[in-house]
């Protein structure tokens, strides 16, 4: 495939073979060759791209810049991954030093963003709107948002005073994650000001990407455990949440000689765990921590609360390893707040000291005369893209996801009369009818020369409750991160 391929009269930079662009380029070529039929051109569209600070997302950003008149890239500070040298930008990102987030535009520091991840992310978005996007909107540009995490929904109220018509200028948003989709529900109150297209429950996300996410969580955590002088073998692993990611982690743990349990508040999920041969728990129990235990949080919401912490303290296990497998820094928020003195003290619990290492911190407690150690891996952030320079998903895997997002973005740009509401890829709606996942998968297997005989469901082992999990709901009792 040519590095520089001319598509629709525009020079489209496509990364080298084996990197992002194989499926995306073929799909974009077909899309952009279609006549516009009176639909709006792309020249009047500016893009806000919110995604991880990783090589593959910068490649995706390059594709976006080849298609649209302006792209502002904002990367939430999940890790201290720096942007590529001499990247032209504009790119807003953060670096955490001594517990404080430093906000950056390209290589220039803008100031401090405090100690909280969410606040730092929202401040980056405020700066991006103020410096880049609002001036363009005042000139008559329209805004397309492509993101991972739904953060712009919280940022808009903070910048609306600068340009009250900002929501009227948004063509729509393409959201990648379930947590971001739920955030849109909570913020919009089910009354959307513009279309929100979500790929969070597409077949590709649920049945293909999830396999690799589970593998990368388990692989990265394995390296961190080795650095903490431990390992999976002969230990207990507790999966909190047995949905798509939790079950994918269980598959990746097979053959590692560990005892796997699952905790979930949904009895149907627990039945799936039991059918998979796991010990299942519906409520915190000291039995869950009968020995040293590795906990992988896969909920995308606060999952390790006061009751779970007490269950560990009252159980016979000595060492607890906490690792986040979700895309958000919330799984162990209770424990972090407890350390900061923001939660009620537990009677009889004394923090005797702590020590930090490259990929974990160890907190040494004494409870009722017994020593208890909690190892917090990756500061409670997602382990699969915490290490500097780590590849969470390869270009060939993430290519499928980005291609879906691009196709949905193009649909929004060319169908601007689409009613403002939530459109979930996989449900019955115009976007699902316009984006054929089967065609994308067939093309992906073909372009990458993968083994594939058309028996995709049997090969990918989808979650038994996939139909139920596809329905994204927001439960008020759990808040926006549920």
């Amino acid at each position: 495939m040519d590095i520089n391929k001319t598509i629709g009269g525009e020079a489209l930079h496509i990364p080298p073979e084996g990197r992002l662009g194989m499926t995306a380029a073929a799909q974009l070529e077909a899309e952009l060759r279609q006549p516009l039929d009176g639909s709006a051109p792309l020249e009047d569209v500016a893009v806000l791209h919110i995604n991880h600070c990783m090589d593959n997302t910068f490649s995706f950003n390059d594709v976006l810049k080849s298609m649209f008149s302006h792209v502002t890239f904002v990367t939430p500070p999940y890790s201290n991954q720096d942007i590529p040298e001499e990247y032209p930008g504009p790119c807003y990102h953060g670096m955490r030093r001594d517990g404080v987030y430093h906000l950056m535009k390209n290589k220039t520091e803008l100031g401090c963003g405090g100690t909280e991840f969410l606040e730092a992310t929202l401040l980056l978005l405020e700066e991006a709107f103020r410096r880049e996007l609002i001036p363009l909107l005042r000139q008559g540009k329209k805004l397309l948002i492509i993101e991972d995490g739904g953060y712009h929904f919280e940022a808009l109220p903070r910048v609306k005073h600068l340009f009250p018509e900002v929501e009227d200028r948004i063509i729509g948003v393409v959201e990648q994650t379930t947590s971001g989709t739920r955030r849109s529900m909570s913020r919009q109150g089910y009354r959307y000001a513009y279309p929100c297209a979500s790929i969070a429950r597409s077949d590709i996300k649920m049945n293909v990407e999830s396999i690799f996410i589970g593998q990368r969580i388990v692989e990265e955590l394995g390296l961190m455990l080795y650095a903490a002088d431990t390992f999976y073998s002969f230990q207990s692993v507790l999966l909190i949440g047995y949905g798509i990611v939790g079950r994918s982690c269980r598959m990746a743990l097979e053959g590692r000689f560990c005892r796997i349990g699952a905790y979930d508040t949904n009895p149907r999920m627990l039945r799936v765990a039991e059918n998979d041969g796991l010990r299942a728990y519906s409520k915190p129990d000291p039995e869950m921590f009968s020995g040293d235990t590795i906990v992988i949080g896969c909920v995308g919401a606060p999952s390790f609360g006061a009751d779970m912490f007490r269950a560990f303290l009252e159980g016979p296990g000595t060492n607890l390893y906490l690792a986040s497998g979700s895309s958000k820094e919330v799984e162990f928020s209770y424990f972090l707040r407890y350390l900061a003195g923001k939660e009620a003290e537990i009677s009889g619990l004394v923090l005797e000291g702590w020590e930090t290492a490259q990929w974990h911190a160890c907190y040494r407690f004494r409870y009722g005369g017994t020593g208890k150690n909690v190892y917090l891996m990756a500061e409670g952030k997602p382990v699969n893209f915490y290490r500097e320079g780590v590849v969470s998903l390869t270009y060939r895997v993430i290519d499928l996801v980005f291609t879906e997002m691009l196709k949905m973005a193009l649909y929004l740009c060319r169908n601007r009369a689409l009613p403002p509401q939530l459109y979930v890829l996989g449900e019955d709606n115009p976007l699902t009818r316009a984006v054929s996942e089967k065609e994308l998968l067939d093309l992906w297997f073909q372009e990458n020369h993968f083994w594939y005989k058309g028996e995709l469901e049997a090969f990918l082992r989808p979650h038994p409750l996939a139909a139920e999990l596809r329905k994204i709901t927001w439960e008020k009792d759990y808040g926006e991160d549920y």
Side-chain angles (χ1 to χ4, degrees), residues 289 311-319 349 363-367 370-374:
F289 306 102
F312 162 67
L313 296 174
E314 295 169 3
T318 300
N319 296 309
L349 181 64
Y363 299 90
R364 305 195 182 280
F365 295 93
R366 186 156 297 276
Y367 180 72
T370 303
K372 296 280 185 175
N373 303 319
V374 178

Side-chain angles (χ1 to χ4, degrees), residues 46 79 93 118 120 132 242 244 310 339 353 367 391 405 450 462:
S79 69
H93 61 112
L118 179 58
E132 315 290 340
Y242 203 65
I244 300 297
R310 287 179 181 275
L339 292 175
Y367 180 72
V391 175
M405 297 181 77
F450 292 148

